[in-house]
Amino acid sequence: MAKVAIGAGHGVHTPGKRTPAGEREWSFNNKVVTAAVRHLKKYGIDVLRLDDPTGKTDVPLTTRTNKANNWGADILISYHHNANNGRWGNWGGTETYYYPGASTGLALAKAIHPSIVGVMGLRDRGIKTANLHMVRESRMPAILIEGGFMDSTIDIKVMRDDDNLEQAGKALADAIAGYFGIRGQAKPSKPSKRASKSISKMADEVIAGKHGNGHDARRKSLGITQAEYDKVRKEVNRRSGIKTASKPKGKSIAKMAQEVIDGKHGNGHANRRKSLGVSSSVYNKVKKEVNRRLTGKSAVYSKPKSFSVGQKVTVKKSASKFATGESIASFVKGNSYTVKQVKSDRVLLDGIMSWVRKKDVY
Ligand SMILES: [Zn+2]
């Protein structure tokens, strides 16, 4: 019988591990893990839970890996939710870690990561390596999943819907069963890809015009019930409401920093500060955040810069070659273009229809 050791990261009282609104990381992790355990058992898989299911104790990492090793688990899954800087921002996505060089960890990650991405409907940050205790000290193939960002205004909407966390747990169990080649024990009624899309993702698509015009046509294109469509519509309206209601004052540091990076406030600190209409002390915070974002310093892991389709970016003056090797013409440098497509290390820019490395744009 397949043996799976699985744990929700941290405990409910672990300091720091919470959203900017105070919700606990363990609670999100626990909902996914609890659902996964239930579904794994339906497959007849033996499960050992590594964290305290009441959340009261943050079981030390060494205790967790010792438990899994002594029990002789076949695989280990550690489930977490990510954080960037603990303040709300528009970063986000799902990522999965394995120990550097561990090919069995990579194979496990490949078997599971796409399912979690599919259910959460968030940005796919990919499969990565990191020297983390849970994947290093376990003797079996091990992965650590970060379902979404607790300080992401995008991800938190998905994470706050218990149904999404339940679906992530089920998807995790299904993928684990698939990894072991086990079939059939769980209920065969797998939700269709469309039905499992989050409200947030469907709203994105509607805003992006992927489902045409007219409510009935959109609902059919999305393949959802009227009740679900009403939720999507509400979310679409809510988002457009936020955009038109945003006042220049009271903007978050993160938002102002992004605008500065996007070039919306011109050049020179004095000009930018005036354009933003903020005090010097507030502007200094914005400046710090801009530098942090541009250099990637003080991030938890060194994360690649994130770009999204539709975003305007500027080609750095220092850039010399396109991602495909050709030289970048001088008129392109310093010019701004809209991102048409995003790949791991490059973006496709509209207008010039060329791939430029992420490090060469800002
Ligand atoms: Zn965590």
Side-chain angles (χ1 to χ4, degrees), residues 9-10 17 25-26 29 79-83 144-146 150 301:
H10 319 290
K17 303 294 180 182
E25 183 190 334
W26 179 83
N29 303 339
Y79 211 98
H80 287 252
H81 286 85
N82 225 330
L144 186 148
I145 301 166
E146 299 273 9
M150 290 188 291
Y301 308 109

Side-chain angles (χ1 to χ4, degrees), residues 108-125:
L108 180 61
K110 282 182 175 168
I112 292 180
H113 177 77
S115 299
I116 306 298
V117 171
V119 166
M120 295 299 280
L122 304 175
R123 200 154 72 79
D124 183 0
R125 301 175 66 90

